[in-house]
Amino acid sequence: MTAPAPLYPDLPKNALLVLIGASGAGKSTLARTWPTSQVVSLDQLRGVMADDCGDQSATADAVDAMLLIVNRRMARGLNTVVDATSVVAKDRAPLVAAAKTHNMPVIAVLVSTPLPVCIERQKTRPANRSVRDDTVRTQHQAGVRSHPNLRAEGFNDIIFSNTLYRLEPFLQQVSDIRVRELGQGGDDGLGDLMLPRRFFGPELLPLWQWKDGSTLAGDDRVAEIRIGQQYLTLALRTNIDGEGSIGFEVLLTCPFDDECDGTAWAPAYTVTDLWGALTGDRDQDPDIVCTVHGGFDDVDQEADDHALAGLRETSGSSR
């Protein structure tokens, strides 16, 4: 009977893991299987330095920051994953030195994705993050050539990424987050913020306030998101289609009468819908329904009825 494979083969509990591979190899995807706090990403540090993760002019500053972070984490004996191309020895040398200085093991993790796949992945990247085909080829060749020399560079071990068991810890991370949100870990979790999170994501939750007691939306529950003087009002609709479907609507100004005393609502499915409501891009949204005037179809029909009545009166007076 075959013994079960270990969950984390050949990886110490705490080490410096240097991901090595060409652009598009999948280093960042692999890096996300570790906790965010353990990952040092050169792309993200470019963003910190220049507000643009693809700004190559910020690379030197980003490398300085990367080495500072790596050194500080090595001094604390913390597991650290470096997400950078690092296909040539001179880029790896300061990382290896930082680990050796603090007596931490340093592991080379080769993300050996086939060259055609690396090149194909560039097509779906933003222009400022896409790497030229010839550059990817050069990186890929350098990564292949570096393999025999990694031990001599000071790496304690060399591991190919496709031998790792990273799905289990990744799913555990995600599971832990969901357990906390659902309140299954002994606390209250997100409670009545779970539904807003499902629609609009976690970023808006610190701004979300239920306005219990408000009758603005009839018997439906009202909420507000606010920063400073800007805010939006939302209603939780519990029977949108008459069949019990749940969703949100956002409060807008009446598009039919500037002095309307009613309330006008439009569906809000995503944060993009909320952004459009705040900026005025949805002021003429065809889905707006006013409690006084109804929707655009109702107003158009009313206008048609008035026009028809006027036509009849004119026709009658001309006889």
Side-chain angles (χ1 to χ4, degrees):
M1 184 175 178
T2 304
L7 290 178
Y8 309 103
D10 304 317
L11 288 181
K13 181 179 179 180
N14 291 303
L16 176 61
L17 309 177
V18 181
L19 307 187
I20 300 173
S23 175
K27 298 184 299 299
S28 296
T29 299
L30 178 62
R32 281 193 288 271
T33 67
W34 279 274
T36 303
S37 61
Q38 297 183 12
V39 178
V40 184
S41 166
L42 192 60
D43 280 346
Q44 290 182 3
L45 289 173
R46 284 194 192 97
V48 171
M49 298 300 164
D51 289 333
D52 182 352
C53 293
D55 188 345
Q56 297 303 311
S57 70
T59 297
D61 290 335
V63 169
D64 286 346
M66 178 181 72
L67 294 176
L68 176 63
I69 294 170
V70 168
N71 270 284
R72 294 296 186 266
R73 288 187 63 84
M74 292 298 94
R76 292 175 176 270
L78 297 174
N79 192 66
T80 304
V81 181
V82 173
D83 177 14
T85 305
S86 301
V87 291
V88 293
K90 68 179 181 63
D91 294 333
R92 297 187 290 265
L95 299 171
V96 174
K100 298 299 183 184
T101 297
H102 299 287
N103 298 313
M104 289 284 286
V106 54
I107 312 296
V109 180
L110 297 177
V111 188
S112 53
T113 304
L115 176 59
V117 176
C118 296
I119 291 176
E120 183 66 23
R121 286 175 177 169
Q122 305 303 319
K123 296 179 182 178
T124 59
R125 293 185 168 187
N128 68 333
R129 300 287 296 278
S130 179
V131 178
R132 290 164 43 118
D133 290 0
D134 56 345
T135 302
V136 176
R137 289 191 184 91
T138 300
Q139 292 175 349
H140 196 273
Q141 292 168 0
V144 172
R145 287 196 297 266
S146 68
H147 180 211
N149 303 314
L150 292 173
R151 291 273 188 187
E153 291 180 24
F155 284 94
N156 298 95
D157 205 351
I158 304 160
I159 296 173
F160 284 90
S161 62
N162 59 6
T163 68
L164 294 174
Y165 289 72
R166 295 302 306 167
L167 180 59
E168 186 272 341
F170 177 66
L171 291 180
Q172 182 179 354
Q173 280 187 64
V174 177
S175 173
D176 290 344
I177 293 171
R178 296 296 177 265
V179 165
R180 289 195 299 272
E181 291 178 346
L182 292 170
Q184 296 174 343
D187 54 21
D188 294 334
L190 291 180
D192 59 4
L193 292 178
M194 181 60 71
L195 197 59
R197 187 200 187 285
R198 185 183 303 168
F199 275 80
F200 307 118
E203 294 83 2
L204 289 187
L205 297 190
L207 310 179
W208 193 275
Q209 282 191 310
W210 289 109
K211 297 293 184 179
D212 291 330
S214 172
T215 59
L216 191 62
D219 294 332
D220 289 330
R221 204 173 184 191
V222 173
E224 179 183 274
I225 54 174
R226 175 189 290 269
I227 296 182
Q229 295 300 310
Q230 290 187 307
Y231 67 94
L232 287 172
T233 301
L234 297 98
L236 173 60
R237 303 303 190 185
T238 56
N239 193 21
I240 292 175
D241 52 5
E243 298 182 2
S245 295
I246 296 176
F248 286 95
E249 291 185 333
V250 61
L251 183 66
L252 301 172
T253 56
C254 176
F256 314 114
D257 182 352
D258 291 341
E259 299 180 357
C260 178
D261 293 329
T263 54
W265 301 90
Y269 303 105
T270 67
V271 173
T272 302
D273 291 335
L274 300 183
W275 177 73
L278 190 64
T279 59
D281 287 350
R282 300 191 65 190
D283 286 353
Q284 298 299 314
D285 192 311
D287 291 327
I288 293 177
V289 176
C290 174
T291 54
V292 173
H293 297 89
F296 278 91
D297 290 342
D298 300 317
V299 172
D300 291 344
Q301 184 60 51
E302 184 179 355
D304 290 343
D305 291 343
H306 283 306
L308 181 58
L311 180 60
R312 286 172 177 166
E313 291 176 2
T314 302
S315 300
S317 63
S318 64
R319 290 177 182 172

Short mmCIF file of all heavy atoms in Angstrom, two decimals, residues 211-253:
data_model
loop_
_atom_site.label_atom_id
_atom_site.label_comp_id
_atom_site.label_asym_id
_atom_site.label_seq_id
_atom_site.Cartn_x
_atom_site.Cartn_y
_atom_site.Cartn_z
N LYS A 211 -29.92 51.60 8.37
CA LYS A 211 -30.73 52.66 8.95
C LYS A 211 -32.08 52.09 9.39
O LYS A 211 -33.13 52.40 8.82
CB LYS A 211 -30.92 53.79 7.92
CG LYS A 211 -29.65 54.49 7.51
CD LYS A 211 -29.05 55.27 8.68
CE LYS A 211 -27.82 56.06 8.27
NZ LYS A 211 -27.26 56.84 9.38
N ASP A 212 -32.01 51.22 10.37
CA ASP A 212 -33.23 50.58 10.84
C ASP A 212 -34.18 51.64 11.40
O ASP A 212 -33.77 52.55 12.13
CB ASP A 212 -32.91 49.54 11.90
CG ASP A 212 -32.18 48.33 11.30
OD1 ASP A 212 -32.42 48.03 10.11
OD2 ASP A 212 -31.37 47.70 12.00
N GLY A 213 -35.44 51.52 11.05
CA GLY A 213 -36.44 52.50 11.45
C GLY A 213 -36.79 53.46 10.33
O GLY A 213 -37.81 54.15 10.40
N SER A 214 -35.97 53.51 9.28
CA SER A 214 -36.27 54.37 8.15
C SER A 214 -37.44 53.80 7.35
O SER A 214 -37.52 52.60 7.11
CB SER A 214 -35.05 54.50 7.24
OG SER A 214 -35.38 55.18 6.05
N THR A 215 -38.35 54.69 6.95
CA THR A 215 -39.49 54.29 6.11
C THR A 215 -39.31 54.75 4.66
O THR A 215 -40.26 54.74 3.89
CB THR A 215 -40.79 54.87 6.68
OG1 THR A 215 -40.68 56.31 6.73
CG2 THR A 215 -41.05 54.34 8.09
N LEU A 216 -38.09 55.17 4.32
CA LEU A 216 -37.82 55.72 2.99
C LEU A 216 -38.14 54.71 1.90
O LEU A 216 -38.55 55.09 0.79
CB LEU A 216 -36.35 56.14 2.91
CG LEU A 216 -35.94 56.98 1.69
CD1 LEU A 216 -36.69 58.30 1.66
CD2 LEU A 216 -34.44 57.23 1.72
N ALA A 217 -37.95 53.44 2.18
CA ALA A 217 -38.20 52.40 1.19
C ALA A 217 -39.42 51.55 1.56
O ALA A 217 -39.48 50.36 1.26
CB ALA A 217 -36.97 51.51 1.03
N GLY A 218 -40.38 52.18 2.22
CA GLY A 218 -41.56 51.43 2.65
C GLY A 218 -41.20 50.47 3.76
O GLY A 218 -40.57 50.85 4.75
N ASP A 219 -41.57 49.23 3.60
CA ASP A 219 -41.26 48.23 4.62
C ASP A 219 -39.89 47.59 4.44
O ASP A 219 -39.48 46.76 5.27
CB ASP A 219 -42.33 47.12 4.60
CG ASP A 219 -43.70 47.63 5.03
OD1 ASP A 219 -43.75 48.60 5.81
OD2 ASP A 219 -44.72 47.07 4.56
N ASP A 220 -39.20 47.95 3.36
CA ASP A 220 -37.88 47.36 3.10
C ASP A 220 -36.79 48.06 3.90
O ASP A 220 -36.90 49.25 4.22
CB ASP A 220 -37.56 47.41 1.61
CG ASP A 220 -38.41 46.44 0.81
OD1 ASP A 220 -38.78 45.40 1.37
OD2 ASP A 220 -38.70 46.72 -0.36
N ARG A 221 -35.75 47.35 4.16
CA ARG A 221 -34.66 47.85 4.99
C ARG A 221 -33.79 48.85 4.20
O ARG A 221 -33.52 48.65 3.02
CB ARG A 221 -33.80 46.68 5.46
CG ARG A 221 -33.01 46.95 6.73
CD ARG A 221 -32.33 45.69 7.22
NE ARG A 221 -31.65 45.93 8.48
CZ ARG A 221 -30.80 45.08 9.04
NH1 ARG A 221 -30.55 43.92 8.45
NH2 ARG A 221 -30.21 45.36 10.19
N VAL A 222 -33.35 49.90 4.89
CA VAL A 222 -32.56 50.97 4.26
C VAL A 222 -31.15 50.97 4.84
O VAL A 222 -30.95 50.69 6.03
CB VAL A 222 -33.22 52.35 4.48
CG1 VAL A 222 -32.32 53.48 3.97
CG2 VAL A 222 -34.58 52.39 3.79
N ALA A 223 -30.17 51.26 3.98
CA ALA A 223 -28.77 51.35 4.42
C ALA A 223 -28.13 52.58 3.79
O ALA A 223 -28.64 53.15 2.81
CB ALA A 223 -28.00 50.10 4.03
N GLU A 224 -27.00 52.97 4.36
CA GLU A 224 -26.25 54.13 3.83
C GLU A 224 -24.77 53.80 3.82
O GLU A 224 -24.26 53.15 4.73
CB GLU A 224 -26.51 55.35 4.70
CG GLU A 224 -25.77 56.60 4.25
CD GLU A 224 -26.02 57.77 5.20
OE1 GLU A 224 -27.03 58.48 5.01
OE2 GLU A 224 -25.20 57.96 6.13
N ILE A 225 -24.08 54.25 2.76
CA ILE A 225 -22.62 54.23 2.76
C ILE A 225 -22.15 55.67 2.61
O ILE A 225 -22.66 56.41 1.76
CB ILE A 225 -22.04 53.33 1.63
CG1 ILE A 225 -22.59 53.71 0.27
CG2 ILE A 225 -22.33 51.87 1.92
CD1 ILE A 225 -21.96 52.96 -0.88
N ARG A 226 -21.21 56.09 3.44
CA ARG A 226 -20.85 57.50 3.49
C ARG A 226 -19.37 57.66 3.80
O ARG A 226 -18.81 56.95 4.64
CB ARG A 226 -21.67 58.22 4.56
CG ARG A 226 -21.28 59.69 4.78
CD ARG A 226 -21.98 60.26 5.98
NE ARG A 226 -23.41 60.44 5.77
CZ ARG A 226 -23.96 61.56 5.29
NH1 ARG A 226 -23.19 62.58 4.97
NH2 ARG A 226 -25.27 61.64 5.15
N ILE A 227 -18.75 58.63 3.13
CA ILE A 227 -17.43 59.16 3.52
C ILE A 227 -17.53 60.67 3.44
O ILE A 227 -17.77 61.23 2.36
CB ILE A 227 -16.29 58.66 2.61
CG1 ILE A 227 -16.12 57.14 2.71
CG2 ILE A 227 -14.98 59.35 2.98
CD1 ILE A 227 -14.98 56.60 1.87
N GLY A 228 -17.36 61.33 4.57
CA GLY A 228 -17.46 62.78 4.58
C GLY A 228 -18.84 63.24 4.14
O GLY A 228 -19.87 62.81 4.65
N GLN A 229 -18.87 64.13 3.13
CA GLN A 229 -20.12 64.71 2.68
C GLN A 229 -20.80 63.89 1.58
O GLN A 229 -21.93 64.20 1.19
CB GLN A 229 -19.87 66.14 2.15
CG GLN A 229 -19.41 67.11 3.22
CD GLN A 229 -20.44 67.26 4.34
OE1 GLN A 229 -21.61 67.48 4.07
NE2 GLN A 229 -19.98 67.13 5.58
N GLN A 230 -20.13 62.89 1.07
CA GLN A 230 -20.71 62.09 -0.01
C GLN A 230 -21.31 60.80 0.55
O GLN A 230 -20.69 60.13 1.38
CB GLN A 230 -19.66 61.75 -1.07
CG GLN A 230 -19.21 62.95 -1.89
CD GLN A 230 -18.29 62.54 -3.03
OE1 GLN A 230 -17.30 61.86 -2.82
NE2 GLN A 230 -18.64 62.96 -4.23
N TYR A 231 -22.49 60.48 0.08
CA TYR A 231 -23.13 59.26 0.56
C TYR A 231 -24.12 58.75 -0.46
O TYR A 231 -24.54 59.46 -1.39
CB TYR A 231 -23.85 59.52 1.89
CG TYR A 231 -25.04 60.45 1.78
CD1 TYR A 231 -26.33 59.94 1.61
CD2 TYR A 231 -24.88 61.84 1.84
CE1 TYR A 231 -27.42 60.78 1.49
CE2 TYR A 231 -25.96 62.68 1.73
CZ TYR A 231 -27.24 62.15 1.56
OH TYR A 231 -28.32 62.99 1.44
N LEU A 232 -24.50 57.50 -0.30
CA LEU A 232 -25.53 56.87 -1.10
C LEU A 232 -26.49 56.15 -0.16
O LEU A 232 -26.08 55.62 0.88
CB LEU A 232 -24.94 55.86 -2.09
CG LEU A 232 -24.19 56.41 -3.30
CD1 LEU A 232 -23.51 55.27 -4.04
CD2 LEU A 232 -25.12 57.16 -4.24
N THR A 233 -27.75 56.13 -0.55
CA THR A 233 -28.77 55.42 0.20
C THR A 233 -29.23 54.21 -0.61
O THR A 233 -29.47 54.33 -1.81
CB THR A 233 -29.96 56.34 0.51
OG1 THR A 233 -29.50 57.47 1.26
CG2 THR A 233 -31.03 55.61 1.30
N LEU A 234 -29.34 53.07 0.05
CA LEU A 234 -29.74 51.84 -0.63
C LEU A 234 -30.92 51.22 0.09
O LEU A 234 -31.14 51.43 1.28
CB LEU A 234 -28.59 50.84 -0.67
CG LEU A 234 -27.34 51.25 -1.46
CD1 LEU A 234 -26.29 51.80 -0.50
CD2 LEU A 234 -26.79 50.09 -2.25
N ALA A 235 -31.67 50.45 -0.66
CA ALA A 235 -32.79 49.69 -0.10
C ALA A 235 -32.59 48.22 -0.40
O ALA A 235 -32.19 47.86 -1.52
CB ALA A 235 -34.11 50.17 -0.70
N LEU A 236 -32.83 47.39 0.59
CA LEU A 236 -32.77 45.94 0.40
C LEU A 236 -34.16 45.46 0.02
O LEU A 236 -35.09 45.49 0.83
CB LEU A 236 -32.31 45.26 1.68
CG LEU A 236 -32.37 43.73 1.68
CD1 LEU A 236 -31.50 43.14 0.57
CD2 LEU A 236 -31.95 43.17 3.04
N ARG A 237 -34.30 45.06 -1.24
CA ARG A 237 -35.59 44.58 -1.72
C ARG A 237 -35.65 43.07 -1.55
O ARG A 237 -34.74 42.34 -1.98
CB ARG A 237 -35.76 44.94 -3.19
CG ARG A 237 -35.65 46.44 -3.49
CD ARG A 237 -36.64 47.28 -2.71
NE ARG A 237 -36.67 48.66 -3.18
CZ ARG A 237 -37.38 49.63 -2.62
NH1 ARG A 237 -38.13 49.34 -1.55
NH2 ARG A 237 -37.34 50.85 -3.11
N THR A 238 -36.72 42.60 -0.93
CA THR A 238 -36.82 41.18 -0.61
C THR A 238 -37.80 40.43 -1.51
O THR A 238 -38.01 39.23 -1.31
CB THR A 238 -37.24 41.00 0.86
OG1 THR A 238 -38.46 41.72 1.08
CG2 THR A 238 -36.16 41.55 1.78
N ASN A 239 -38.38 41.14 -2.46
CA ASN A 239 -39.33 40.46 -3.35
C ASN A 239 -39.35 41.17 -4.71
O ASN A 239 -40.39 41.66 -5.16
CB ASN A 239 -40.72 40.43 -2.73
CG ASN A 239 -41.66 39.47 -3.45
OD1 ASN A 239 -41.22 38.55 -4.14
ND2 ASN A 239 -42.96 39.70 -3.30
N ILE A 240 -38.19 41.22 -5.35
CA ILE A 240 -38.01 42.02 -6.55
C ILE A 240 -38.96 41.61 -7.66
O ILE A 240 -39.61 42.44 -8.30
CB ILE A 240 -36.55 41.93 -7.04
CG1 ILE A 240 -35.62 42.63 -6.04
CG2 ILE A 240 -36.40 42.56 -8.42
CD1 ILE A 240 -34.17 42.49 -6.37
N ASP A 241 -39.03 40.33 -7.92
CA ASP A 241 -39.79 39.85 -9.07
C ASP A 241 -41.11 39.19 -8.68
O ASP A 241 -41.74 38.51 -9.48
CB ASP A 241 -38.95 38.84 -9.86
CG ASP A 241 -38.40 37.72 -8.98
OD1 ASP A 241 -38.75 37.70 -7.78
OD2 ASP A 241 -37.62 36.89 -9.48
N GLY A 242 -41.51 39.41 -7.44
CA GLY A 242 -42.74 38.78 -6.99
C GLY A 242 -42.57 37.32 -6.63
O GLY A 242 -43.55 36.64 -6.29
N GLU A 243 -41.33 36.84 -6.70
CA GLU A 243 -41.06 35.43 -6.40
C GLU A 243 -40.03 35.26 -5.29
O GLU A 243 -39.39 34.23 -5.17
CB GLU A 243 -40.60 34.70 -7.68
CG GLU A 243 -41.64 34.69 -8.78
CD GLU A 243 -41.18 33.93 -10.01
OE1 GLU A 243 -40.06 33.39 -9.97
OE2 GLU A 243 -41.92 33.89 -11.00
N GLY A 244 -39.83 36.34 -4.53
CA GLY A 244 -38.94 36.24 -3.37
C GLY A 244 -37.48 36.52 -3.65
O GLY A 244 -36.64 36.31 -2.77
N SER A 245 -37.13 37.00 -4.85
CA SER A 245 -35.73 37.31 -5.14
C SER A 245 -35.28 38.53 -4.35
O SER A 245 -36.05 39.48 -4.16
CB SER A 245 -35.55 37.55 -6.64
OG SER A 245 -35.82 36.38 -7.37
N ILE A 246 -34.02 38.49 -3.90
CA ILE A 246 -33.47 39.55 -3.06
C ILE A 246 -32.42 40.35 -3.84
O ILE A 246 -31.65 39.79 -4.61
CB ILE A 246 -32.84 38.95 -1.79
CG1 ILE A 246 -33.91 38.27 -0.94
CG2 ILE A 246 -32.11 40.01 -0.98
CD1 ILE A 246 -33.36 37.56 0.28
N GLY A 247 -32.40 41.66 -3.63
CA GLY A 247 -31.39 42.50 -4.28
C GLY A 247 -31.44 43.90 -3.70
O GLY A 247 -32.26 44.21 -2.83
N PHE A 248 -30.55 44.76 -4.18
CA PHE A 248 -30.47 46.13 -3.68
C PHE A 248 -30.88 47.12 -4.77
O PHE A 248 -30.71 46.87 -5.97
CB PHE A 248 -29.04 46.45 -3.23
CG PHE A 248 -28.66 45.81 -1.93
CD1 PHE A 248 -27.98 44.60 -1.91
CD2 PHE A 248 -28.99 46.40 -0.72
CE1 PHE A 248 -27.63 44.00 -0.72
CE2 PHE A 248 -28.64 45.82 0.48
CZ PHE A 248 -27.96 44.60 0.48
N GLU A 249 -31.41 48.25 -4.33
CA GLU A 249 -31.65 49.40 -5.20
C GLU A 249 -31.00 50.61 -4.58
O GLU A 249 -30.87 50.70 -3.34
CB GLU A 249 -33.15 49.64 -5.39
CG GLU A 249 -33.84 48.55 -6.20
CD GLU A 249 -35.29 48.86 -6.47
OE1 GLU A 249 -35.91 49.60 -5.67
OE2 GLU A 249 -35.82 48.36 -7.48
N VAL A 250 -30.57 51.54 -5.41
CA VAL A 250 -29.92 52.75 -4.94
C VAL A 250 -30.84 53.94 -5.20
O VAL A 250 -31.53 54.00 -6.22
CB VAL A 250 -28.54 52.95 -5.62
CG1 VAL A 250 -28.68 53.08 -7.14
CG2 VAL A 250 -27.81 54.14 -5.03
N LEU A 251 -30.86 54.87 -4.27
CA LEU A 251 -31.72 56.05 -4.37
C LEU A 251 -31.11 57.08 -5.31
O LEU A 251 -29.94 57.46 -5.17
CB LEU A 251 -31.92 56.66 -2.98
CG LEU A 251 -32.85 57.86 -2.89
CD1 LEU A 251 -34.28 57.47 -3.23
CD2 LEU A 251 -32.78 58.47 -1.49
N LEU A 252 -31.91 57.55 -6.27
CA LEU A 252 -31.48 58.56 -7.23
C LEU A 252 -32.47 59.72 -7.23
O LEU A 252 -33.56 59.61 -6.66
CB LEU A 252 -31.39 57.96 -8.64
CG LEU A 252 -30.43 56.79 -8.83
CD1 LEU A 252 -30.59 56.18 -10.21
CD2 LEU A 252 -28.99 57.24 -8.63
N THR A 253 -32.12 60.81 -7.89
CA THR A 253 -33.08 61.90 -8.06
C THR A 253 -34.08 61.53 -9.14
O THR A 253 -33.75 60.79 -10.08
CB THR A 253 -32.36 63.20 -8.46
OG1 THR A 253 -31.59 62.97 -9.65
CG2 THR A 253 -31.41 63.66 -7.35
#
